[in-house]
Amino acid sequence: MNKLHKKRYLKLESYLNRTTNLKFPSHLLPKVGQFCRNLNPRSLRARLTVGIAVVAAVGMGSLAMWISWKMQDILVVTHKQSIKYIGERLPQEVEIYSDMMSMEKGMQKAVNNLTINNTLLWIRDTDGAVAAQSAQLKASRKLNYLKTLSDMPLTPKVSEVKGGYWILCGSPLMVSGEKMGTLYIAQDITEDQVMFMSMIRSLGIASLLTIGGLTVAIAFYIQRSLQPLQRMGQLTQNISADDLGEAHIHLDNAPSELKELAQTFDEMLVRLHQSWEQQRQFVSNVSHELRTPLTVVSGYLQSTLRRGNNLTQPQREALEIAGSEADRTIQLLQDLLDLARVDSGHLHFNLEPLVLNDLVQEIAEMARQYSNRVIQVESPNSDIEVKADTNRLKQVLLNLIDNAVKYSDSGQPVTLKLDYVGEWGRIQVCDRGNGIPLQHQARIFERFYRVDDARARSTGGCGLGLSIVQTLVEGMGGRVTVRSQLGKGSVFSVTLPIN
């Protein structure tokens, strides 16, 4: 390699080494760690990041491979041109020197003239004996192994010989049209090859660091670009049926496509709100219109039963069934009306301080009369005061006691427990029934949800009682929960804020 090429290679290697020694800013490491922990492999952000990173890696890798190939090609071509020049020049000089001296001395003189750094020449005559050789071959025994090589290529070729890299070439030596033997040329490129491999490693490390840096930069850019979508997801997460009319998606500094999507989503929310309001109004109107005539029908049925002394037994049973179903339907309509009032915001609560001890005793006495069951009350000696609506709380507790009575054996008592839980007053309705399966406990407060449809029909349930209980308790600022085990019964807990 000539001095100009070597100087350029040294500059390139120095630049690459400086590049590979760059350190990632330490203040960004926590952000990178947090980003990696939050990265979901199935998310759009991950897919875009991986896709662009792969494209960048393929592009950088292809560029690095092309640069490596071109650098090696330049290195080898430069040496091959030097060997080719020697191969063409030596026969001419042998011919010139042979006119002034013997052929053997002319060969040696030509070999000496054309021997340069790291390039060795030797000539074998037609008998295979060495007729001339470079001075280095004579002085160094370590290089004698080169003269033992056979089957050298006619064109220069890079070969690895005893841990070193050489460009070897062997061609017939023709002087004045007569073959005088064979010319062998060996050029040592080990130093250049080692330097080339070092640069390739540096280039590879620089490429990897560049790909890593690009990946991190792309990931952060994509994360920032997808923030409007994340914001949109967060806004829609908190939208409930009650918020449909007021919910709007506001995206500032978002791309036009996302703004169009947000606008379309707002229009959809408006349509949903209108449909929901129509459904609420329909339920409310139907419940109100049907309750009055059914109440009249129930009244006539009860009156007929009281005065019908001439009724036969089948007629009396039929009227009793009709009256029972009418009463159940009236109760269902009343529940639907209550829910419709809550949904429309027309159900108001008269919250005032009250003592739970007295109220629960009163409700327990009422429950004993209509259920003929043992209703126990366990309360502390001190009064438990909460802030609630008396009538609504009575409705809640009667619903829970009614459920406990329906779904437990007649010989088992229903227990009401009172106590404090932190800043809350708590009422527990405990039964010893069959219990509620775990997979149903999270859904029993949903409207029209029933654990066992067959059993619900036999007990007259319609799946609205617990939904109304939850609605009323939450309307008073409290909460209701359930804890149940199969075969051991259920415990419904109502907690209300302390006055």
Side-chain angles (χ1 to χ4, degrees):
M1 176 184 290
N2 58 38
K3 293 183 179 180
L4 179 60
H5 282 108
K6 185 175 293 186
K7 186 176 181 181
R8 290 177 179 174
Y9 285 138
L10 289 174
K11 287 183 177 180
L12 178 59
E13 182 182 20
S14 176
Y15 170 75
L16 291 174
N17 287 333
R18 290 198 307 271
T19 305
T20 56
N21 287 332
L22 290 177
K23 295 183 179 179
F24 194 81
S26 59
H27 67 279
L28 293 180
L29 290 177
K31 295 183 179 180
V32 174
Q34 183 67 27
F35 170 79
C36 294
R37 286 190 295 271
N38 295 335
L39 189 61
N40 181 6
R42 296 175 180 264
S43 65
L44 177 62
R45 180 175 61 182
R47 294 182 181 183
L48 288 175
T49 302
V50 171
I52 297 177
V54 168
V55 172
V58 171
M60 290 292 297
S62 301
L63 179 62
M65 291 177 63
W66 181 82
I67 292 175
S68 303
W69 175 76
K70 286 300 289 184
M71 290 173 62
Q72 188 175 32
D73 186 60
I74 293 172
L75 175 67
V76 173
V77 167
T78 302
H79 289 293
K80 285 183 177 180
Q81 288 177 349
S82 176
I83 291 178
K84 185 178 180 181
Y85 170 78
I86 293 173
E88 293 175 352
R89 181 65 182 170
L90 190 135
Q92 298 175 6
E93 293 200 5
V94 170
E95 185 175 356
I96 294 172
Y97 287 124
S98 62
D99 292 339
M100 297 181 290
M101 59 187 72
S102 64
M103 181 62 68
E104 289 77 7
K105 292 183 179 181
M107 290 181 182
Q108 186 62 52
K109 184 68 174 177
V111 166
N112 292 338
N113 289 341
L114 293 176
T115 297
I116 56 178
N117 293 334
N118 301 328
T119 303
L120 305 177
L121 293 81
W122 68 95
I123 300 173
R124 292 186 182 274
D125 57 21
T126 54
D127 296 330
V130 177
Q133 59 183 329
S134 299
Q136 292 92 327
L137 289 173
K138 293 180 181 180
S140 176
R141 294 181 179 180
K142 294 181 179 179
L143 299 176
N144 283 331
Y145 66 87
L146 293 172
K147 293 188 291 184
T148 62
L149 298 176
S150 58
D151 298 329
M152 283 195 180
L154 294 177
T155 58
K157 183 179 180 182
V158 178
S159 300
E160 185 177 359
V161 182
K162 292 189 176 183
Y165 293 92
W166 295 79
I167 295 182
L168 304 176
C169 177
S171 60
L173 178 60
M174 306 296 294
V175 178
S176 301
E178 181 180 357
K179 182 179 179 180
M180 304 303 297
T182 304
L183 171 64
Y184 296 95
I185 305 174
Q187 191 171 54
D188 186 7
I189 61 169
T190 302
E191 182 181 351
D192 295 337
Q193 189 72 13
V194 169
M195 184 171 56
F196 170 74
M197 295 303 294
S198 176
M199 286 190 293
I200 292 300
R201 285 193 296 270
S202 299
L203 182 62
I205 295 174
S207 300
L208 290 176
L209 290 178
T210 302
I211 293 171
L214 283 175
T215 303
V216 173
I218 290 169
F220 280 112
Y221 178 76
I222 291 176
Q223 181 183 16
R224 186 176 181 83
S225 301
L226 293 179
Q227 280 181 350
L229 277 179
Q230 294 174 343
R231 174 64 177 162
M232 190 173 179
Q234 293 171 355
L235 291 173
T236 55
Q237 249 182 350
N238 300 322
I239 295 177
S240 63
D242 299 328
D243 303 329
L244 288 175
E246 302 175 357
H248 296 285
I249 308 298
H250 298 288
L251 298 178
D252 299 329
N253 301 323
S256 57
E257 293 84 357
L258 289 181
K259 287 186 177 179
E260 292 177 3
L261 177 61
Q263 182 179 357
T264 304
F265 198 87
D266 285 341
E267 295 172 356
M268 182 188 69
L269 290 178
V270 171
R271 294 194 297 270
L272 287 175
H273 175 67
Q274 293 173 350
S275 300
W276 182 246
E277 288 299 322
Q278 291 174 357
Q279 180 182 352
R280 286 176 174 176
Q281 191 63 37
F282 174 77
V283 172
S284 177
N285 292 339
V286 169
S287 302
H288 181 73
E289 294 298 328
L290 290 179
R291 187 180 59 170
T292 301
L294 281 173
T295 302
V296 174
V297 170
S298 177
Y300 276 113
L301 289 172
Q302 298 297 330
S303 176
T304 303
L305 284 170
R306 286 194 303 270
R307 299 178 182 179
N309 297 325
N310 58 344
L311 294 174
T312 64
Q313 186 62 27
Q315 289 174 336
R316 182 172 294 279
E317 290 178 357
L319 289 174
E320 288 176 352
I321 293 173
S324 175
E325 290 299 316
D327 291 339
R328 190 175 73 86
T329 306
I330 291 172
Q331 183 59 46
L332 171 62
L333 294 174
Q334 183 60 48
D335 291 342
L336 288 174
L337 274 174
D338 289 340
L339 291 175
R341 292 192 186 102
V342 171
D343 292 338
S344 61
H346 296 154
L347 185 65
H348 302 288
F349 295 89
N350 182 24
L351 301 179
E352 57 184 4
L354 59 90
V355 178
L356 284 181
N357 308 61
D358 299 335
L359 180 67
V360 169
Q361 287 289 355
E362 178 186 347
I363 293 173
E365 185 60 34
M366 293 171 56
R368 292 189 191 100
Q369 293 177 4
Y370 80 78
S371 65
N372 293 323
R373 292 283 294 274
V374 176
I375 310 295
Q376 300 176 346
V377 178
E378 297 179 5
S379 61
N381 296 327
S382 59
D383 292 340
I384 297 179
E385 294 186 6
V386 296
K387 192 173 184 180
D389 186 314
T390 304
N391 293 327
R392 297 303 180 187
L393 184 55
K394 286 182 179 181
Q395 184 178 354
V396 166
L397 295 178
L398 287 173
N399 269 340
L400 291 178
I401 294 173
D402 183 57
N403 273 350
V405 168
K406 287 179 180 178
Y407 297 108
S408 61
D409 296 335
S410 58
Q412 299 292 340
V414 174
T415 304
L416 305 180
K417 298 180 180 180
L418 301 178
D419 59 3
Y420 279 115
V421 181
E423 298 296 323
W424 300 81
R426 182 173 65 177
I427 311 168
Q428 291 181 302
V429 181
C430 312
D431 65 64
R432 300 177 186 175
N434 295 328
I436 304 170
L438 183 61
Q439 65 271 24
H440 296 289
Q441 293 181 23
R443 299 190 60 191
I444 59 173
F445 294 103
E446 296 179 8
R447 297 179 183 182
F448 298 104
Y449 185 81
R450 294 180 290 191
V451 176
D452 187 347
D453 289 339
R455 187 173 182 182
R457 285 193 295 270
S458 66
T459 57
C462 58
L464 287 177
L466 291 178
S467 178
I468 292 176
V469 165
Q470 184 184 52
T471 301
L472 295 179
V473 171
E474 291 179 352
M476 292 183 287
R479 57 179 180 267
V480 58
T481 58
V482 62
R483 185 178 72 254
S484 182
Q485 287 184 333
L486 291 178
K488 294 184 178 181
S490 304
V491 177
F492 284 86
S493 300
V494 176
T495 54
L496 296 168
I498 295 176
N499 182 29

